[in-house]
Amino acid sequence: MAPASLPGAEFTGYDAGMVDVQPFNQPPPQLGNQYEEDTLLRGYLERVFDAKTLAAIEPDLRTLGDLAVEFAALSMQTRLEMPALTQWSAWGERIDHIELTEVWKQAEPVAAKYGLVAAGYDKKLGPLARVHQFVSTYLFTPSTDTYGCPLAMTDGATATLLASGNQELIDRAVPRLTSRDPATFWTSGQWMTESTGGSDVGLTETVAVHEEGDVYRLYGRKWFTSAATSQIALTLARPEGNPPGGHGLALFYLETRDDEGQLRDIRVHRLKDKLGTRKLPTAELFLDGARARLVTGNTTGGVRDITPMLNVTRTWNAVTAVAGMRRGLALARDFATRRVAFGAPLSEKPLHVDTLAAMQAELEGAFQLAFYVVELLGASEHEVLDAPGRDLLRLLTPIAKLTTAKQAVALASEVLEAFGGAGYVEDTGLPALLRDAQVLSIWEGTTNVLSLDVLRAIGRGVDLGAVRSRVLGWCDVEDVGLQNAGEQAMRGFDAALAWLEAAQKRGNDEVEAGARRFALTLGRVFELALLVRHAQVRLKAGDRRPRAACVRFAQTPIDQILWIDREDAALLAGG
């Protein structure tokens, strides 16, 4: 008799009359159009764009909503595909070829066509071009196996080159980095991390040997590079003779391949075996005399020169976090209508409804913070940002990144729990939601590194009084429930500032030790205040759901046992 584990085998260990074996047939969750079904997103767009502009961009957003479903299905069909490195040809030639997954191959032309980078530089929409771009990103990234990573670095490289004033490099690269034509579209790598560490780039060991003019040859190992298949890269290296530390580094531009597609004096040692983002080909590279050019013309100050890149990529990180949260909730909500337990669908169980409502409130807070930073970024690039706005951008870019990253990991864990055992089974595709979320709190600065960056921003002149006035204005609303939430936000803001003042009197160690708690407190304060602002506007438009999200978000942990309005909970649980 064949073993029972083999396909087609029959289990005969029990008498047929003793056990009635029934298969477990649970319908899987389904995704609908990810634009049309996103009430949060559509309400936000109605607030930010005028009707004419929204009508102009909406067809593409609706198409991306459909493509999100198609790519999600393709991702599941190719779940076991992984990028593969072939270092040698059959005839002994070093080729270092990285074969990408099918999702990545199909995602790139779609990203180019719909302007996932280019839309951010569309002058017709002015400061709101960034909102259009990042809304498209929000729809696109959760289905495309982390293809948003090279897009983020491409966007960051574009901003950095434009800020550099190097017209030759701008003319050479920017039209390709912002192309909507897949045939001419380039992506960019961001090769900063070395084995000496990621956050402390001042320890960079790559050496730049001067050749002529602004041309150098680079020698060194880049330990963690997530765009090894890109056409260009920006990287840090230390020109020979420069002092140690970050100031001795320079920022370089290099084109990775020759006209025949072969790497230029670059060797791929291996692809990294990672916890998550496994479809993303992260490589360990060796620069063996790779030809590169100075970006700004400066042979020092490279860490300062990458600031435009970090501002952009940290914003991508925040939006990606929010997009992942939204995708997990979309699946969990649909599953709740299909999973029957104890006589009824989960969507009819009060406790499950309440759980989904709490998750939705977290998403809405994270969404408002991430997209407010997007708005500030666009306004800054078009030079229409006032002084308090500039301070907010400097303060909130790291805060949004660190806060939403932490929320994304926590919410992904809750999403898996909402599926019970199915959330722990690899072939459902659900565990990847949690594994992929974990990178968000690491890439572009860990929570601790960014918390210290928040303190640096304050130490370098951010006017907290003006920032407080701006937040207070958001909380000046008519609705009583929203007034209470706004008052809570202001109490949190004032408590954070009081802590900072007291800690500063006790010394730098005290300030540093509390930096994470301080930054995360401010993150939630800003999320709540922005929820208050958004909800008041939407109430006037007849939309009560954002108010429910705001009131729910305002609850402190000690209040979780208090009475929750069941109607509000049901409203939120439905998305």
Side-chain angles (χ1 to χ4, degrees):
M1 184 177 71
S5 60
L6 294 180
E10 295 181 4
F11 180 69
T12 58
Y14 299 112
D15 184 280
M18 292 175 58
V19 178
D20 181 16
V21 179
Q22 295 292 331
F24 178 72
N25 292 321
Q26 170 62 51
Q30 301 292 321
L31 292 175
N33 183 290
Q34 290 298 283
Y35 173 70
E36 293 179 349
E37 293 189 353
D38 195 334
T39 309
L40 165 62
L41 172 62
R42 296 181 69 179
Y44 168 76
L45 292 178
E46 288 176 13
R47 176 171 68 81
V48 172
F49 285 106
D50 62 70
K52 182 178 178 181
T53 304
L54 181 56
I57 66 174
E58 201 167 35
D60 278 357
L61 298 180
R62 188 168 285 110
T63 300
L64 284 169
D66 278 333
L67 286 170
V69 180
E70 294 177 19
F71 270 104
L74 178 61
S75 178
M76 278 299 298
Q77 291 164 13
T78 59
R79 184 180 65 83
L80 298 179
E81 274 191 15
M82 294 293 160
L85 169 64
T86 301
Q87 291 179 308
W88 304 93
S89 74
W91 302 101
E93 179 188 10
R94 184 72 184 256
I95 56 173
D96 288 344
H97 172 70
I98 298 174
E99 184 68 20
L100 300 174
T101 64
E102 188 60 29
V103 169
W104 270 54
K105 291 175 184 176
Q106 294 193 30
E108 180 168 304
V110 172
K113 178 180 177 181
Y114 288 93
L116 270 293
V117 176
Y121 300 88
D122 184 351
K123 293 186 173 141
K124 291 180 293 187
L125 287 180
L128 290 178
R130 282 295 188 184
V131 176
H132 179 209
Q133 174 203 15
F134 277 107
V135 166
S136 301
T137 297
Y138 168 87
L139 294 169
F140 178 81
T141 54
S143 297
T144 50
D145 292 343
T146 327
Y147 186 73
C149 179
L151 296 178
M153 292 185 283
T154 301
D155 193 355
T158 302
T160 302
L161 291 173
L162 288 172
S164 73
N166 188 327
Q167 198 59 47
E168 189 174 347
L169 291 184
I170 292 171
D171 292 343
R172 168 73 177 162
V174 169
R176 293 170 171 84
L177 298 173
T178 58
S179 175
R180 290 177 179 262
D181 180 359
T184 59
F185 179 57
W186 279 4
T187 59
S188 175
Q190 179 180 312
W191 299 354
M192 308 297 172
T193 304
E194 300 193 0
S195 57
T196 50
S199 299
D200 188 359
V201 293
L203 298 175
T204 294
E205 295 178 338
T206 298
V207 174
V209 178
H210 185 233
E211 187 170 275
E212 60 178 353
D214 67 346
V215 177
Y216 286 72
R217 295 282 181 174
L218 307 186
Y219 297 87
R221 183 162 64 116
K222 295 297 181 180
W223 189 78
F224 204 91
T225 63
S226 289
T229 57
S230 293
Q231 289 84 358
I232 71 166
L234 298 187
T235 189
L236 292 172
R238 194 179 311 281
E240 282 187 308
N242 272 19
H247 184 69
L249 298 174
L251 181 61
F252 290 92
Y253 164 99
L254 60 91
E255 295 186 7
T256 60
R257 299 176 187 276
D258 60 26
D259 293 339
E260 294 168 357
Q262 298 301 308
L263 288 170
R264 300 175 186 260
D265 301 311
I266 300 169
R267 300 287 177 260
V268 182
H269 287 336
R270 58 173 172 159
L271 296 183
K272 299 293 191 180
D273 187 8
K274 298 169 295 179
L275 169 70
T277 63
R278 297 180 66 85
K279 305 299 184 73
L280 167 64
T282 301
E284 185 176 321
L285 304 176
F286 184 75
L287 306 179
D288 189 17
R291 193 173 186 271
R293 297 179 58 183
L294 290 168
V295 172
T296 64
N298 298 322
T299 57
T300 58
V303 176
R304 179 191 61 244
D305 292 337
I306 65 173
T307 299
M309 175 182 291
L310 292 177
N311 288 339
V312 169
T313 52
R314 286 173 177 173
T315 305
W316 272 81
N317 201 95
V319 172
T320 300
V322 172
M325 294 168 73
R326 155 64 189 163
R327 173 55 54 84
L329 266 169
L331 292 169
R333 273 199 302 272
D334 186 79
F335 183 72
T337 68
R338 301 173 189 275
R339 175 65 171 144
V340 175
F342 306 105
L346 292 179
S347 58
E348 297 178 10
K349 300 289 186 181
L351 180 54
H352 196 75
V353 169
D354 188 79
T355 302
L356 291 175
M359 294 161 69
Q360 180 69 24
E362 282 295 302
L363 164 63
E364 302 218 5
F367 180 99
Q368 294 299 334
L369 178 57
F371 274 92
Y372 182 63
V373 172
V374 169
E375 294 171 40
L376 291 173
L377 177 64
S380 175
E381 290 174 336
H382 286 80
E383 300 181 345
V384 294
L385 202 56
D386 60 11
R390 290 192 294 273
D391 282 347
L392 276 167
L393 178 60
R394 178 66 186 91
L395 188 67
L396 289 184
T397 299
I399 285 177
K401 191 276 186 186
L402 70 88
T403 305
T404 58
K406 285 298 186 186
Q407 289 174 295
V409 175
L411 193 134
S413 180
E414 289 283 2
V415 165
L416 265 60
E417 188 175 339
F419 284 89
Y424 205 66
V425 176
E426 285 290 348
D427 56 8
T428 64
L430 295 167
L433 294 173
L434 180 56
R435 289 200 308 273
D436 289 353
Q438 186 61 66
V439 78
L440 297 167
S441 61
I442 298 173
W443 185 59
E444 295 301 55
T446 61
T447 307
N448 285 358
V449 167
L450 290 169
S451 297
L452 296 174
D453 193 30
V454 172
L455 293 179
R456 273 192 298 273
I458 293 171
R460 291 174 181 173
V462 165
D463 185 346
L464 290 175
V467 169
R468 186 187 186 281
S469 296
R470 185 67 55 92
V471 176
L472 185 62
W474 299 340
C475 298
D476 183 12
V477 293
E478 300 171 5
D479 180 84
V480 175
L482 295 179
Q483 286 176 1
N484 292 335
E487 289 170 2
Q488 182 175 329
M490 296 311 303
R491 287 196 299 271
F493 191 93
D494 290 339
L497 296 192
W499 171 86
L500 180 60
E501 183 178 354
Q504 287 171 335
K505 292 177 181 177
R506 298 178 65 177
N508 291 336
D509 286 352
E510 187 75 17
V511 175
E512 180 175 327
R516 172 192 283 242
R517 287 177 277 120
F518 175 72
L520 286 168
T521 298
L522 285 183
R524 295 194 70 80
V525 163
F526 277 104
E527 288 184 345
L528 179 54
L530 288 164
L531 282 169
V532 171
R533 179 184 70 154
H534 178 70
Q536 182 64 64
V537 174
R538 294 303 297 164
L539 270 178
K540 292 181 178 178
D543 181 5
R544 181 173 163 272
R545 196 197 53 75
R547 181 190 184 279
C550 179
V551 171
R552 184 57 183 269
F553 188 92
Q555 293 175 330
T556 60
I558 201 171
D559 292 331
Q560 290 298 313
I561 60 171
L562 297 182
W563 175 256
I564 305 300
D565 187 282
R566 290 276 299 281
E567 185 178 350
D568 278 359
L571 194 61
L572 284 177

